[in-house]
Amino acid sequence: MIRPICSRNSSVLWRPTMRNRFLALLFVGLSVSGCTFNFTLLPGQGPLQEMQVGGTGAAKVLLIEVSGMISSQEKDGLIPAPSLLARIKEQLARATQDDQVKAVVLRINSPGGTVTASDIIHHELKAFKASKKIPIIASIMDLGTSGGYYIAAAADTVLAHPSSVTGSIGVIMLTINARGLLEKVGVEATAVTSGPRKDMGSPFRVMTPEERAIFQGLIDSFYQRFLTIVQEGRPQLQMEQIKKLADGRIYTGDQAKAVGLVDDLGYLEDAIELAKKKAKLPEARVVTYQRPGEYSNNIYSKLLVPGPLAGFADLDIMALARGGTPQFMYLWMP
């Protein structure tokens, strides 16, 4: 929040971002009028704070939101924000230090994301569960596909909303061929490399069959890891069953339950009650962690509702066109 005051007290948190350049210009422009300004931090800055959103008692059920694109990329802009990966890591670290946190509910609403970010979050949840020894319940909302389902596999129990979409077990590699566009505008890209495969995946030339085979090998390796994660989370399913289910298709909540990809159907309240039951809690407070200036007054607060293409809001497609490397994704991308 920015408030003009008639004093000489002013402080600005300086970082080389668009937000601070904007604040600097605003500060200079308004100071010309004779007033100085005191700038307070914008919402989203500062350490996490605990907020109660329901329940009673001393014990706590921590509600962690896994929404939008799963990525390690921080969001910059007027109000910068940590990546989903960094945020979940920070929340788990704080919960580890709180003996009153007796269970965790993952509120998942994501089409997936990068292979590595999905795998790290899964790893962090497994490590947290091993050290804290408390139940983790996954509640899939609108979407829990690909990387979203990969993360859910770390939970003890997976519930799907009756109208949710899940599945899409598989890997996709995103790259762009901009050669035709460059030819139309009379631009030619030239790469000088130390070997014939050094620029494989370049958006400025056609991929050769040999290069496609190399990429396919990488994708097959990531896919096999996904299958292993699913089998660890679904021990009642044989690998051959999982392979038949993991052809990239999506499932409704009912269909996912019928084939064994989720344990049951239920609403978020059901997931919280199940977490309390598994933790043997007659009562518990439901809490979230949030930044100063954010507001939550119930278990659905701040919940994002991404559609199938919402992940592209956080996916730097133009980086690929500028010569960025291909991205390997656990992502439902219709």
Side-chain angles (χ1 to χ4, degrees):
M1 184 175 183
I2 304 174
R3 294 195 181 109
I5 58 175
C6 292
S7 75
R8 298 185 178 276
N9 178 28
S10 63
S11 61
V12 179
L13 179 64
W14 293 106
R15 286 179 56 197
T17 65
M18 181 181 297
R19 170 178 61 92
N20 289 305
R21 287 195 293 270
F22 168 78
L23 291 177
L25 290 173
L26 182 63
F27 175 77
V28 172
L30 293 176
S31 294
V32 172
S33 64
C35 277
T36 59
F37 287 78
N38 183 28
F39 292 91
T40 59
L41 296 178
L42 291 172
Q45 299 292 329
L48 292 174
Q49 298 175 344
E50 182 181 291
M51 172 67 72
Q52 181 174 336
V53 293
T56 59
K60 304 173 186 176
V61 174
L62 175 62
L63 185 61
I64 295 180
E65 183 178 3
V66 184
S67 291
M69 187 74 169
I70 300 168
S71 171
S72 59
Q73 180 178 337
E74 295 186 357
K75 299 179 181 179
D76 207 341
L78 187 60
I79 304 178
S83 67
L84 178 63
L85 171 57
R87 181 167 56 83
I88 291 178
K89 173 67 174 179
E90 186 178 3
Q91 293 182 67
L92 292 176
R94 172 161 179 167
T96 300
Q97 303 301 318
D98 189 345
D99 292 336
Q100 295 303 315
V101 174
K102 303 296 185 181
V104 171
V105 173
L106 303 174
R107 188 177 64 183
I108 298 175
N109 198 22
S110 170
T114 68
V115 165
T116 300
S118 302
D119 188 68
I120 292 175
I121 293 175
H122 178 276
H123 167 77
E124 293 292 340
L125 288 168
K126 296 285 283 188
F128 171 82
K129 186 167 63 173
S131 64
K132 188 80 171 172
K133 294 180 172 55
I134 61 175
I136 298 179
I137 309 299
S139 178
I140 297 176
M141 305 296 290
D142 290 82
L143 287 175
T145 53
S146 210
Y149 184 76
Y150 192 104
I151 290 173
D156 299 289
T157 305
V158 181
L159 268 62
H161 191 276
S163 60
S164 67
V165 174
T166 187
S168 188
I169 299 170
V171 191
I172 185 171
M173 187 188 80
L174 300 180
T175 186
I176 291 176
N177 186 348
R179 181 180 179 184
L181 175 63
L182 295 181
E183 289 178 348
K184 288 183 178 180
V185 298
V187 176
E188 181 178 352
T190 301
V192 180
T193 68
S194 58
R197 303 285 181 254
K198 185 61 178 175
D199 66 338
M200 60 182 289
S202 168
F204 305 118
R205 65 176 180 81
V206 177
M207 186 184 301
T208 68
E210 293 79 10
E211 291 169 345
R212 180 175 292 275
I214 293 173
F215 280 124
Q216 187 64 55
L218 295 175
I219 290 174
D220 291 344
S221 178
F222 294 139
Y223 175 64
Q224 186 59 48
R225 179 166 181 79
F226 202 154
L227 296 179
T228 301
I229 291 297
V230 174
Q231 188 175 45
E232 291 176 357
R234 306 275 96 193
Q236 76 278 13
L237 294 179
Q238 299 297 318
M239 181 57 78
E240 289 306 313
Q241 293 177 280
I242 295 173
K243 288 181 178 179
K244 291 179 181 179
L245 300 172
D247 60 358
R249 76 183 69 183
I250 55 175
Y251 302 89
T252 65
D254 281 317
Q255 292 170 338
K257 180 184 177 183
V259 298
L261 289 178
V262 304
D263 295 290
D264 207 349
L265 300 181
Y267 291 84
L268 184 55
E269 293 94 336
D270 299 319
I272 293 171
E273 289 302 314
L274 180 59
K276 290 165 58 179
K277 180 179 179 180
K278 285 186 172 292
K280 300 180 180 179
L281 302 174
E283 61 179 6
R285 290 182 289 142
V286 181
V287 300
T288 64
Y289 297 145
Q290 59 187 39
R291 302 288 177 190
E294 297 176 344
Y295 176 66
S296 299
N297 67 351
N298 64 69
I299 60 175
Y300 295 105
S301 294
K302 288 184 61 185
L303 182 64
L304 302 177
V305 187
L309 300 180
F312 287 105
D314 297 326
L315 183 62
D316 193 357
I317 293 293
M318 290 310 297
L320 301 177
R322 291 193 299 268
T325 57
Q327 298 191 51
F328 297 96
M329 316 289 289
Y330 291 144
L331 176 68
W332 178 38
M333 192 188 72

